[in-house]
């Protein structure tokens, strides 16, 4: 009898397990079905809506003009993307009905209400309450239905709380992709940057940013990649946060700081004036009357000194395009030649010193130190032309051979002036940096 009871008990356990499992499996699609049908539209006949008004700390009113939406009583250009995003979000708004008291979710006296009116004068209205516990949905009251819904926060966040939220805040029409030249006059230096090629393709291989500084120096220098990226990315960040009244002292009549952005067919000059409240500056576009405020940090990328914008490499040439390298001191000279063979998109380099083949990896380690030499600071009026050390690079370009000659001219016991080709010496480098490379050469090649 006990054996028979144990079998029945086992059968019951298995049966209950199957029922529970089936119940769990059957619940999952039911929940999905509910979640897809729980949300309903908060507004009706949305295609007929022609007027929307937001009641907040600052009222915002938009109306449909033909097929376009625009601000009421405001002639400033709107940001079409922002406007369309707001209107579309309101028309497509869906929510899940919920049973709560208005006073418990900040809907007793809501701070934000949105009224919608169609062509016939029919009105619909929603009010925004607080976030739910998960902080991803807002409680929203629909006046005509007298119901409260939970609406996704991304929809509610499109609601503009002031006209500024729908206006074009970007001051420049030139995009970073179209920019070809940048002029910065900070009152101390006039800096000119351009992405017009000034070197051969082979010479430019090591110039990562593709931008070059033409002023204030007499030579042309590669702009540091990190600094150029800051300026290009910062271009879209130059957005106004407000307008200024005409009776203030903005410092724009004779602005000491100007930035000119140029593309192929147009230029725009931003005039920067006095500091404004809340860590901002007064600015305006040259030729226009409206004065704006912008955050100070959006101007930071354009506020560096010229020296801090450029690569500080003495001269950097990719090894793969080098055909000859001569290093000459008062006591010793080194002459390297190179053969390059391309194989499966890889370049194999053979190095010869004084016409004898040498270990490529040994030379590569020294060349990295040589190419990594960086000058330390600007210098002026270097009258001495007698070099203590010269480095001559010969580059094999598609058209011809190109020579770069770098001369190190003693300025003191601790520093050299650096002169490249026919340019004047404009920067200095500590002698100890150069001596370290010469010591590496002497250790391996005598």
């Amino acid at each position: 009898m006990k054996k028979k009871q144990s079998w029945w008990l086992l059968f019951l356990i298995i049966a209950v397990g199957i029922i529970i499992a089936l119940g769990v499996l059957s619940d999952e699609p039911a929940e999905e079905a509910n979640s897809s049908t729980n949300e309903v539209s908060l507004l009706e006949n949305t295609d007929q809506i022609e007027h929307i008004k937001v009641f907040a700390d600052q009222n915002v009113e938009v109306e449909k003009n033909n097929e376009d939406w625009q601000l009421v009583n405001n002639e400033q250009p709107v940001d079409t993307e922002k406007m369309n995003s707001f209107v579309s979000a309101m028309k497509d708004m869906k929510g899940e009905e919920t049973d709560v008291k208005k006073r418990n979710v900040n809907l007793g006296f809501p701070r934000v209400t949105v009224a919608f009116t169609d062509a016939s004068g029919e009105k619909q209205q929603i009010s925004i309450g607080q976030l739910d516990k998960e902080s991803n949905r807002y409680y929203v009251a629909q006046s005509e239905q007298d119901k409260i819904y939970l609406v996704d926060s991304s929809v509610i966040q499109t609601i503009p709380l002031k006209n500024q939220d729908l206006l074009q805040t970007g001051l420049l029409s030139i995009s970073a992709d179209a920019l070809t030249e940048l002029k910065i006059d900070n009152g101390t230096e006039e800096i000119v940057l351009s992405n017009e090629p000034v070197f051969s393709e082979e010479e430019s291989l090591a110039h990562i940013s593709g931008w070059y500084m033409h002023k204030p120096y007499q030579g042309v220098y590669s702009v540091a990649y990190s600094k150029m990226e800051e300026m290009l990315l910062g271009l879209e960040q130059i957005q106004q946060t407000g307008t200024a009244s005409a009776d203030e002292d903005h410092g724009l009549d004779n602005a000491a700081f100007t930035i000119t952005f140029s593309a192929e067919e147009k230029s725009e000059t931003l005039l920067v004036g006095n500091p404004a409240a809340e860590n901002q500056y007064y600015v305006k576009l040259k030729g226009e009357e409206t004065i704006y405020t912008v955050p100070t940090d959006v101007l930071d990328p354009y506020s560096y000194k010229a020296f801090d914008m450029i690569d500080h490499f003495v001269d950097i040439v990719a090894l793969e395009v080098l055909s000859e390298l001569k290093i000459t001191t008062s006591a010793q000279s080194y002459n390297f030649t190179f053969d390059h063979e391309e194989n499966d998109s890889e370049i194999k380099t053979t190095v010869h010193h004084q016409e004898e083949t040498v270990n490529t990896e040994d030379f590569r380690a020294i060349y990295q130190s040589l190419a990594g030499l960086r000058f330390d600071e600007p210098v002026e009026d270097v009258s001495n032309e007698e070099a203590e050390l010269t480095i001559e690079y010969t580059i094999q370009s598609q058209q011809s051979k190109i020579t770069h000659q770098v001369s190190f001219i003693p300025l003191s016991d601790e520093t050299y002036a650096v002169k490249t080709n026919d340019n004047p010496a404009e920067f200095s480098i500590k002698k100890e940096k150069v001596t370290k490379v010469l010591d590496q050469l002497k250790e391996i090649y005598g």
Side-chain angles (χ1 to χ4, degrees), residues 347-362:
I347 297 177
K348 180 182 177 182
T349 298
T350 303
V351 184
H352 311 279
H353 175 240
Q354 316 290 62
E355 299 184 354
E356 291 186 10
T357 303
V358 296
N359 184 286
T360 300
E361 294 309 312
D362 287 346

Side-chain angles (χ1 to χ4, degrees), residues 206 311-319 322 325 327 363-375 391 393 429 437 440:
D311 283 325
H312 291 174
F313 297 110
V314 167
D315 196 8
I316 184 165
V317 178
L319 178 59
L322 202 58
L325 172 67
I327 301 172
F363 174 81
R364 194 180 294 274
I366 293 174
Y367 191 70
Q368 286 177 347
S369 299
L370 182 65
L373 286 175
R374 296 164 63 91
F375 41 71
I391 302 174
Y393 302 87
I429 185 173
V437 177
Q440 287 179 275

Side-chain angles (χ1 to χ4, degrees), residues 253-429:
D253 292 337
N254 296 291
F257 185 12
T258 64
I259 312 168
T260 300
F261 303 84
S262 298
E264 288 187 1
E265 297 181 354
K266 66 184 300 186
S267 293
E268 295 175 315
T269 298
L270 186 70
L271 309 179
V272 182
N274 294 334
E278 299 180 356
N279 202 26
Q280 299 182 100
Y281 270 88
Y282 294 114
V283 301
K284 75 171 183 176
L285 288 174
K286 186 176 180 179
E288 297 186 7
E289 295 300 322
T290 307
I291 297 172
Y292 303 97
T293 54
V294 298
T296 301
D297 58 3
V298 305
L299 301 173
D300 287 347
Y302 312 96
S303 302
Y304 292 105
K305 294 179 180 178
F307 182 76
D308 295 327
M309 288 184 179
I310 57 175
D311 283 325
H312 291 174
F313 297 110
V314 167
D315 196 8
I316 184 165
V317 178
L319 178 59
E320 289 73 20
V321 299
L322 202 58
S323 64
E324 188 173 4
L325 172 67
K326 294 179 181 178
I327 301 172
T328 306
T329 72
S330 56
Q332 182 62 283
S333 64
Y334 303 90
N335 191 353
F336 298 91
T337 57
F338 309 89
D339 296 322
H340 306 289
E341 181 181 354
E342 188 171 348
N343 187 13
D344 295 333
S345 299
E346 292 186 1
I347 297 177
K348 180 182 177 182
T349 298
T350 303
V351 184
H352 311 279
H353 175 240
Q354 316 290 62
E355 299 184 354
E356 291 186 10
T357 303
V358 296
N359 184 286
T360 300
E361 294 309 312
D362 287 346
F363 174 81
R364 194 180 294 274
I366 293 174
Y367 191 70
Q368 286 177 347
S369 299
L370 182 65
L373 286 175
R374 296 164 63 91
F375 41 71
D376 295 300
E377 58 186 10
V379 294
E380 296 178 0
D381 301 325
V382 178
S383 56
N384 180 21
E385 292 290 332
E386 188 173 346
E388 194 172 277
L389 163 69
T390 60
I391 302 174
E392 187 176 286
Y393 302 87
T394 302
I395 301 163
Q396 183 62 58
S397 76
Q398 294 179 359
Q399 289 78 28
S400 61
K401 289 186 177 182
I402 301 169
T403 300
H404 288 192
Q405 181 170 298
V406 183
S407 303
F408 295 83
I409 301 166
L411 282 179
S412 68
D413 291 340
E414 291 81 26
T415 60
Y416 286 119
V418 180
K419 183 178 184 297
T420 305
N421 295 332
D422 295 327
N423 297 321
E426 301 187 278
F427 306 104
S428 69
I429 185 173

Side-chain angles (χ1 to χ4, degrees), residues 35-258:
S35 65
S36 64
T37 57
N38 276 350
E39 287 194 339
V40 297
S41 296
L42 272 67
L43 302 176
E44 298 178 352
N45 301 321
T46 56
D47 289 340
Q48 305 302 315
I49 294 173
E50 294 191 350
H51 185 277
I52 305 174
K53 187 168 184 178
V54 180
F55 299 89
D57 290 340
Q58 299 179 28
N59 294 343
V60 179
E61 193 173 359
V62 301
E63 64 182 3
K64 198 171 186 180
N65 183 9
N66 295 323
E67 294 302 316
D68 297 324
W69 286 85
Q70 61 186 30
L71 283 163
V72 176
N73 298 324
N74 192 315
E75 295 181 358
Q76 290 180 263
V78 298
D79 187 308
T80 304
E81 185 176 343
K82 292 177 182 177
M83 179 71 80
N84 290 342
S85 178
F86 161 55
V87 174
S88 295
M90 294 298 96
K91 288 183 173 184
D92 297 336
M93 182 166 40
K94 295 181 183 297
E96 180 184 351
E97 186 178 345
T98 182
D99 185 17
V100 294
K101 301 291 186 184
K102 287 185 177 182
R103 63 176 179 273
N104 294 335
V105 290
N106 284 349
L107 281 168
F109 299 95
R111 296 186 62 183
V112 178
T113 295
V114 188
F116 306 84
T117 309
D118 64 20
S120 64
E122 290 290 325
K123 292 188 177 182
Q124 302 176 76
Q125 184 170 291
I126 62 168
S127 298
I128 315 303
Q130 67 187 40
L131 281 165
D132 66 356
K133 291 181 180 179
E134 287 75 26
S135 296
N136 56 19
R137 293 190 295 179
Y138 279 91
Y139 289 98
V140 177
Q142 216 290 2
S143 298
E144 286 66 41
Q145 300 175 20
D146 196 23
K147 292 179 180 178
I148 297 176
Y149 297 90
L150 280 167
V151 177
D152 191 277
S153 60
S154 63
V155 174
I156 303 305
Q157 286 164 3
T158 66
I159 298 174
L161 302 181
K162 55 184 183 299
N163 283 343
Q164 193 72 24
D165 294 339
L166 291 177
L167 294 176
Q168 289 181 5
T169 55
L171 293 179
L172 303 169
S173 62
I174 296 175
S175 68
D177 292 339
L179 192 69
T180 58
E181 186 180 75
L182 190 60
K183 293 182 180 179
I184 303 169
D185 189 340
N186 57 28
T188 304
E189 298 174 304
E190 183 185 2
I191 300 168
V192 178
L193 313 177
S194 170
N195 63 3
E196 181 74 22
V198 292
F199 297 107
S200 69
E201 181 180 345
E202 291 78 12
E203 291 173 282
S204 303
L205 280 177
H207 303 159
I208 301 175
S209 75
W211 281 77
Y212 298 94
M213 181 176 289
H214 295 259
K215 286 185 178 182
Y217 304 115
Q218 295 186 53
V220 177
Y221 299 93
S222 173
V223 181
Y225 178 81
S226 61
K227 294 296 190 292
M228 200 65 230
E229 279 296 287
E230 277 189 65
M231 287 184 274
L232 292 175
L233 293 173
L235 195 144
E236 292 185 359
Q237 304 304 315
I238 301 177
Q239 298 189 7
Q240 50 104 347
T241 56
T243 56
S245 61
D247 57 352
E248 296 181 61
D249 179 16
H250 310 110
L252 290 165
D253 292 337
N254 296 291
F257 185 12
T258 64

